Amino acid sequence: MADEEIDDVDRAILYALQEDARNMSSGDIAERTGTSDSTVRKRINRLESSEVIKGYSADVDYQQAGYPLRMLLYCTASISDRGELIPEILEIDGVISVQELVTGEQNLLVTAVGESDSDITPVAQALLDMGLTVADEVLVRSHETTPFGNFNNG
């Protein structure tokens, strides 16, 4: 959104959508922000078209869905290749996210889920087959998120 800065109304909209996008109507958000329903809808459309809002997705509890293992795999890829590898890594069965890291030797953080170790091992092997070094594997007990608080300080 280089043309228009994100203001307090935009931040309040982002916070509300992070809280519960499925059940939060534009009217509900308008009440919170002291604006009109149409203003909220226009703002949401602008935030979507400028890709500040990249999409909407379900917050899945993988453990409840039968995939109790969540593994973080810290990897190293050549700096020139790491960005290009991300789409390919996301195609690996069991991978749910990839983060590009900018400090430290490891420069990719791959998160994978599975029912057992036998589901995670092929993920690590696929990463190795792509030429990445898997420097560390960390088993996660729980993973919780919250809306970004600065969006609620308007």
Side-chain angles (χ1 to χ4, degrees):
M1 285 189 50
D3 297 355
E4 297 182 49
E5 292 295 317
I6 293 177
D7 64 13
D8 288 344
V9 173
D10 292 329
R11 282 189 279 280
I13 290 169
L14 292 170
Y15 189 84
L17 291 174
Q18 285 182 324
E19 276 186 314
D20 190 3
R22 182 175 186 195
N23 296 307
M24 190 72 62
S25 73
S26 55
D28 294 335
I29 298 171
E31 261 183 56
R32 284 185 178 196
T33 59
T35 61
S36 70
D37 187 20
S38 65
T39 296
V40 169
R41 285 194 310 274
K42 287 176 187 172
R43 295 285 189 110
I44 289 172
N45 286 338
R46 183 174 49 82
L47 291 164
E48 289 171 345
S49 65
S50 62
E51 297 185 356
V52 171
I53 297 175
K54 293 170 55 174
Y56 301 89
S57 60
D59 183 10
V60 176
D61 183 327
Y62 290 101
Q63 189 166 12
Q64 292 293 329
Y67 300 94
L69 292 183
R70 179 184 289 256
M71 183 73 69
L72 304 178
L73 299 109
Y74 289 87
C75 304
T76 304
S78 70
I79 292 172
S80 60
D81 292 340
R82 69 181 174 193
E84 295 172 14
L85 290 171
I86 292 173
E88 190 177 342
I89 295 168
L90 287 168
E91 293 294 320
I92 299 171
D93 193 34
V95 171
I96 60 169
S97 75
V98 179
Q99 296 174 50
E100 188 173 357
L101 309 175
V102 294
T103 61
E105 186 177 329
Q106 290 80 44
N107 53 23
L108 291 172
L109 174 56
V110 178
T111 304
V113 297
E115 290 182 72
S116 66
D117 287 342
S118 63
D119 294 327
I120 303 295
T121 302
V123 172
Q125 186 59 54
L127 294 169
L128 292 170
D129 292 346
M130 292 172 64
L132 279 78
T133 301
V134 178
D136 199 7
E137 299 176 8
V138 178
L139 187 59
V140 177
R141 177 182 303 273
S142 67
H143 174 84
E144 303 298 328
T145 62
T146 189
F148 181 50
N150 282 0
F151 289 155
N152 197 32
N153 293 335

